[in-house]
Amino acid sequence: MIVALHGAEFFAYHGFYPEEQHTGNCFIVDIEVEFEPDGSNGLSSDNLKDTVNYEELYHICGRRMQQPQKLIETVATFIMEDIKAQYSFAEKITVSIKKLNPLAGAKVKYTQITINYTR
């Protein structure tokens, strides 16, 4: 099973250059968490504790996006580590972050990094 959060938008102050850290930018985060439901009751329990809560994924992103970093690779790694800590049963996690309009004076729609974890 995969629970995903796609297109979560945040305004944050990540960036290597001081002007990026001062003016901020728009970021888009995508997350996919793959896991096998518990064999004893699967998801027939209809209980949120037996799955990945996409609302919590959003809150994890929000907390990390508000902590400025120079590299979005670092932000993605922290998000992934928080997801692993919250959902120890996760078998695969993919976190992608897009930075919109990343280069002043250049015509670039976005840059993107993607990190993967497999247990």
Side-chain angles (χ1 to χ4, degrees):
M1 173 170 296
I2 297 174
V3 173
L5 180 71
H6 289 281
E9 296 184 29
F10 299 93
F11 188 86
Y13 295 90
H14 308 300
F16 182 79
Y17 300 105
E19 56 270 17
E20 294 177 297
Q21 298 166 13
H22 177 71
T23 60
N25 207 336
C26 293
F27 297 84
I28 307 292
V29 179
D30 296 325
I31 297 172
E32 291 188 359
V33 181
E34 187 172 339
F35 65 100
E36 288 297 325
D38 182 5
S40 62
N41 62 5
L43 290 178
S44 61
S45 70
D46 203 27
N47 194 326
L48 195 55
K49 71 173 182 59
D50 294 328
T51 189
V52 173
N53 181 343
Y54 54 81
E55 185 177 12
E56 182 57 27
L57 294 179
Y58 182 85
H59 290 304
I60 288 170
C61 287
R63 287 190 297 271
R64 287 301 182 174
M65 292 302 288
Q66 295 311 308
Q67 298 173 354
Q69 302 293 330
K70 289 183 179 179
L71 302 175
I72 57 176
E73 292 90 329
T74 304
V75 179
T77 299
F78 286 152
I79 289 170
M80 185 178 61
E81 293 299 325
D82 289 351
I83 294 168
K84 285 168 47 179
Q86 178 80 22
Y87 300 104
S88 60
F89 55 85
E91 295 177 5
K92 293 181 182 179
I93 302 169
T94 301
V95 178
S96 295
I97 300 178
K98 294 177 185 165
K99 184 176 190 177
L100 305 183
N101 304 308
L103 304 170
K107 190 169 185 172
V108 176
K109 188 171 186 175
Y110 63 86
T111 57
Q112 178 175 339
I113 63 94
T114 300
I115 61 170
N116 298 291
Y117 160 79
T118 302
R119 181 166 39 129

